[in-house]
Amino acid sequence: MAFENYTIKDIAKALNLSPSTVSRALRDSYEISAETKKIVLAYAEKMNYRANPIARSLKERKSYSIGIIVSEIANNFFSQVIDGIESIAYAKNYQVVISQTHESADRERLNVEHLYGRSTDGLLMALSAETSDVRYLESLIEKGFPIVFFDRVPAQIPAHRVIADNKQGGYDAVHYLAQRGCKRVAHLTGARTLSITKERLEGYQMGLQAHALDMDDALVKYCQYGGLQHGELQQAVTELADTDYDGIFISGDKLTTGYLQVMHERYAAQIGQVAIAGFTNSKVVNIFSPTITAIRQPAFEMGQRAAELLIQQIEAKHSGVDFETVVLPTTMIENK
Amino acid sequence: MAFENYTIKDIAKALNLSPSTVSRALRDSYEISAETKKIVLAYAEKMNYRANPIARSLKERKSYSIGIIVSEIANNFFSQVIDGIESIAYAKNYQVVISQTHESADRERLNVEHLYGRSTDGLLMALSAETSDVRYLESLIEKGFPIVFFDRVPAQIPAHRVIADNKQGGYDAVHYLAQRGCKRVAHLTGARTLSITKERLEGYQMGLQAHALDMDDALVKYCQYGGLQHGELQQAVTELADTDYDGIFISGDKLTTGYLQVMHERYAAQIGQVAIAGFTNSKVVNIFSPTITAIRQPAFEMGQRAAELLIQQIEAKHSGVDFETVVLPTTMIENK
DNA sequence: ATGAAAGCGCTAACAG
DNA sequence: CTGTTAGCGCTTTCAT
C-alpha cells in the first residue's frame, strides 16, 4: 500500500541540486539565490510537492497542530468551545484535532498519549467525569508539554485555566427561581469530582441562603455520567419527584435536555409545575417544551481564550510562564 | 521547549544491548530470548518508555490512526456517526481524529491534506456543501490512500460509500404527511450539490406523485449552507409562508431545528397549522415544540460500517478492492 | 550561494 | 539470538 510522493531528494535530483539547497529554497532561506529559489518553487509547484510533515516533526519537534480533548462532541457547550478554538487556531496556522473521552478516564489517557506522542504541540482539555488521577498530566506539564484546561479543570496544576463563573451562574439561577416564587429548589448535577459540579453547587447553596430557601440534601441529585446515561437521569428525576420541589437548577447541557425528556416520558402531567433553570448552550432552547431559563457559558470566547493562551505558551521561547485562570461571566436567558 | 523522552537508544545503552535488539524485544519479536525480553520490558516499564510514533510512522508509513472529516460536529447525525466510527476504531486499535469543514471546500481540502500528510492511514468523510471539485480526492485515492465516504458522497469515485436510503426516507415523509391530509407539502433542503439533497428531493417528488399532490417549485427551498446560517433559513421560511403549504418535509438536522426556530420567532401564531416531518437524529425530538415526525438515519451503524470498510481497506495487502455502496434504511418516528 | 554529512527515533535487511 | 548498518524525509551545522 505504498503511495510515494515527491520528496526533496527527487526535486534535488531533477534539478541537479543538493537536497539541502532545495530544502532551504523551499523555506525561503536568505542564503539561496533568487534565481534558484524561483526554479525550485516552480518545479515543486508543478510536481505538486508536499513536504512530509512527519519527517519535519521528527526533526523539529513541532507539528503546528493542537489537540482538543472533551468528553463529548455531541454537546452544545463543547462544540461551541471547539469552534472558538478553531477560529484562533486557523488564524495562527495551527491545525486542530479533536477527540472524545465519553467520560472515561482510560480513554482520556489514551487520547492524551496519542496526541502527545504524535507531536501535537499542545493540548486543550476539559477533564472527563471519571478522572481522578491527574498525575500523568502533571508530569507531561513538567516535561514542558503545554496543556491548557477549560471548563472542567484540575485543582493544583501549574497550567492555564479558562472557566466560566460557575458559582455566579448557579447563584443567578437560584435567585431567578426564588424571584419567581419557588420555595423548594432542587439541583440536578453531574459528577461530584468535577470542578464545575462543585462551583455550581456552591452558587446554588449561596442562592438558597440568600433567599432563605430550604436546604435539603434530598433536593440535590448527582449523575455520575452527567446525563450521558439515561438511566441515571431517570433515577434522579424519579427520586426528586418525591420531594415536592417547585423549581430546579440543572447543571449541564445533557442534564438539562435529559431532565426535560424524563419529564415528558414519566411526568408529563406535572410539566409546567416546576420552574426550570439550567446550564445549557443549546441554540434551540426556544423550541423546547417546557420552557426553560438558560444559563449560558460564553463557550466560543472560552475556546478562543484557551487557544490563545495555549499558542502563546507553545510559542514562548522560555518556559517561565505565569499561569493564569481566566474566569468568564455567564449570562441568563429567560424564554417565554 | 525541548522535553526529551527515553528512546530506544537510551535503553540499549543502559542495558548494553543494541537498539535493534531493544526494538525487537519491545515488539515481542520471536527472535529475541525470553530472558532479554523480560529485562528490556521491565526497564522500559520502569523508565516509562513510550515509543515515538512519529518516528515509527516515518519508517512504516502507518500510524494506526484514521481521520474523520465532517462539516459540523454540532450536528446530531454526524456526532452519532462519529461515535459509531470510534466504537469500531477503538476495538481495532486505531486512534481517531476529527476535524470539521464548516461547509467550506477550502477547509475541507486543508483538513484532508493535513490528515493525509500526517500519515493518517485513511479517511472517513462526508463532503462539505461547498465542495464541487473532488479531483484532489480522486488523485489521493489513485495513489492508494483509502477514503470511505458516508452520507454526502461524491459521484463517480472509486471508493466505498455508506449512505442512508434517502430517497425512501423522503418518500416515507411525504407519504406520512399525505396520510395526515396534507395537500400542499413543502420541502426545505440543503445545498443543491449534495448527494443527499438530490436523493431526498427524488423521494419527495416520488411521494407527491404517488399521492397526486401539488408539484410546485415555489414549495421547494434550498439553503446553501444547510441551515448553518440563520439568515438563509429565515429567508426560506419567509418565502414559504406565502405558499399556503400545510405540510413540510425537511431535509436535515440543522434545517429541522432551524425551521422550528424561525417559526417561533416569526410565525408563532401559525405553529400547529403545518404538519412537519424532517430528517433529524436529535435524541430529544420529544421535547421539541411543535411536535414533529422524525426521519432518522442509522447514524451509529453507518459509522460502524464505514469504519469497518475503511479498516478492511487499510489492512488489505493488495489493493484489488471491490468498492461497495452500502445503503442503510431510515426509520420514521412519530411523536405525539 | 551551494553541497556533504549527520541525525531526529525507529525498523529491518543482512551478518554473524 | 543479537549486532551492524542503512534509511524513512527533512533540517542543519559545517565546509567550500
Side-chain angles (χ1 to χ4, degrees), chain B residues 157-173:
Chain B
I157 274 197
H160 291 308
R161 274 164 249 260
V162 183
I163 58 177
D165 193 342
N166 290 300
K167 187 167 165 189
Q168 184 66 41
Y171 178 86
D172 291 347

Side-chain angles (χ1 to χ4, degrees), chain A residues 52-55 57-58 114 117-119, chain B residues 27 51-65 115-121:
Chain A
N52 180 330
I54 296 266
S57 287
L58 181 59
H114 176 248
R118 300 206 72 76
S119 281
Chain B
R27 335 194 82 239
N52 181 331
I54 296 266
R56 181 150 23 189
S57 287
L58 181 59
K59 184 75 187 162
E60 297 193 322
R61 269 95 217 298
K62 174 119 174 87
S63 66
Y64 275 98
S65 71
L115 292 172
Y116 170 68
R118 300 206 73 77
S119 282
T120 303
D121 296 336

Side-chain angles (χ1 to χ4, degrees), chain B residues 6-17:
Chain B
Y6 278 86
T7 71
I8 276 190
K9 263 192 193 161
D10 298 327
I11 299 183
K13 207 168 295 169
L15 263 35
N16 253 311
L17 290 168

Side-chain angles (χ1 to χ4, degrees), chain B residues 38 77 273 308:
Chain B
K38 213 165 63 184
F77 169 69
Q273 293 169 18
E308 281 165 356

Side-chain angles (χ1 to χ4, degrees), chain A residues 5 21 76 189 199:
Chain A
N5 279 314
T21 303
N76 301 296
T189 188
E199 293 161 14

Side-chain angles (χ1 to χ4, degrees), chain B residues 61-97:
Chain B
R61 269 95 217 298
K62 174 119 174 87
S63 66
Y64 275 98
S65 71
I66 60 184
I68 305 177
I69 300 180
V70 295
S71 54
E72 297 284 317
I73 54 174
N75 175 301
N76 301 297
F77 169 69
F78 286 133
S79 59
Q80 289 164 32
V81 173
I82 290 171
D83 287 350
I85 294 170
E86 284 186 344
S87 74
I88 298 294
Y90 279 100
K92 306 209 172 191
N93 281 307
Y94 280 78
Q95 274 286 337
V96 162
V97 296

Side-chain angles (χ1 to χ4, degrees), chain B residues 232-249:
Chain B
E232 58 177 359
L233 268 165
Q234 287 173 329
Q235 194 190 333
V237 179
T238 304
E239 286 174 19
L240 278 180
D242 296 331
T243 65
D244 54 60
Y245 67 109
D246 55 6
I248 185 167
F249 160 49

Side-chain angles (χ1 to χ4, degrees), chain B residues 27-306:
Chain B
R27 335 194 82 239
D28 199 28
S29 160
Y30 67 96
E31 17 179 30
I32 301 294
S33 76
E35 183 61 10
T36 309
K37 277 183 192 169
K38 213 165 63 184
I39 298 174
V40 171
L41 267 314
Y43 187 76
E45 170 73 11
K46 179 173 148 228
M47 293 289 104
N48 196 27
Y49 167 78
R50 291 275 178 270
N52 181 331
I54 296 266
R56 181 150 23 189
S57 287
L58 181 59
K59 184 75 187 162
E60 297 193 322
R61 269 95 217 298
K62 174 119 174 87
S63 66
Y64 275 98
S65 71
I66 60 184
I68 305 177
I69 300 180
V70 295
S71 54
E72 297 284 317
I73 54 174
N75 175 301
N76 301 297
F77 169 69
F78 286 133
S79 59
Q80 289 164 32
V81 173
I82 290 171
D83 287 350
I85 294 170
E86 284 186 344
S87 74
I88 298 294
Y90 279 100
K92 306 209 172 191
N93 281 307
Y94 280 78
Q95 274 286 337
V96 162
V97 296
I98 304 158
S99 65
Q100 13 182 16
T101 66
H102 298 283
E103 307 292 13
S104 149
D106 284 350
R107 227 168 233 210
E108 181 167 271
R109 183 159 187 160
L110 261 175
N111 286 332
V112 169
E113 293 191 338
H114 177 248
L115 292 172
Y116 170 68
R118 300 206 73 77
S119 282
T120 303
D121 296 336
L123 240 42
L124 289 154
M125 62 188 294
L127 297 180
S128 91
E130 233 183 57
T131 303
S132 55
D133 183 2
V134 294
R135 275 172 304 180
Y136 76 102
L137 294 173
E138 260 191 278
S139 63
L140 247 39
I141 289 172
E142 276 162 18
K143 279 187 192 171
F145 185 59
I147 304 183
V148 173
F149 296 93
F150 62 90
D151 189 47
R152 299 135 159 243
V153 304
Q156 319 260 29
I157 274 197
H160 291 308
R161 274 164 249 260
V162 183
I163 58 177
D165 193 342
N166 290 300
K167 187 167 165 189
Q168 184 66 41
Y171 178 86
D172 291 347
V174 174
H175 174 70
Y176 166 81
L177 294 170
Q179 300 260 298
R180 295 252 328 232
C182 297
K183 294 297 175 209
R184 282 177 65 73
V185 175
H187 182 33
L188 180 62
T189 188
R192 292 167 198 270
T193 41
L194 292 174
S195 58
I196 51 175
T197 302
K198 293 172 194 156
E199 293 161 11
R200 290 170 194 173
L201 178 65
E202 268 184 70
Y204 164 76
Q205 289 166 335
M206 221 170 70
L208 294 184
Q209 228 163 354
H211 293 275
L213 297 178
D214 291 355
M215 284 265 254
D216 181 350
D217 280 352
L219 287 172
V220 180
K221 295 295 171 200
Y222 295 89
C223 292
Q224 170 64 29
Y225 289 96
L228 279 194
Q229 285 167 20
H230 201 59
E232 58 177 359
L233 268 165
Q234 287 173 329
Q235 194 190 333
V237 179
T238 304
E239 286 174 19
L240 278 180
D242 296 331
T243 65
D244 54 60
Y245 67 109
D246 55 6
I248 185 167
F249 160 49
I250 309 175
S251 176
D253 241 303
K254 287 263 160 178
L255 290 167
T256 299
T257 49
Y259 171 80
L260 296 182
Q261 279 195 292
V262 177
M263 290 305 283
H264 274 276
E265 286 164 22
R266 302 204 169 173
Y267 303 97
Q270 282 102 304
I271 284 177
Q273 293 169 18
V274 174
I276 306 166
F279 267 83
T280 172
N281 271 56
S282 169
K283 289 178 175 167
V284 298
V285 272
N286 63 328
I287 68 172
F288 287 173
S289 145
T291 284
I292 67 168
T293 290
I295 315 295
R296 296 188 162 278
Q297 302 182 72
F300 191 86
E301 194 193 344
M302 220 156 140
Q304 292 190 306
R305 296 296 290 274

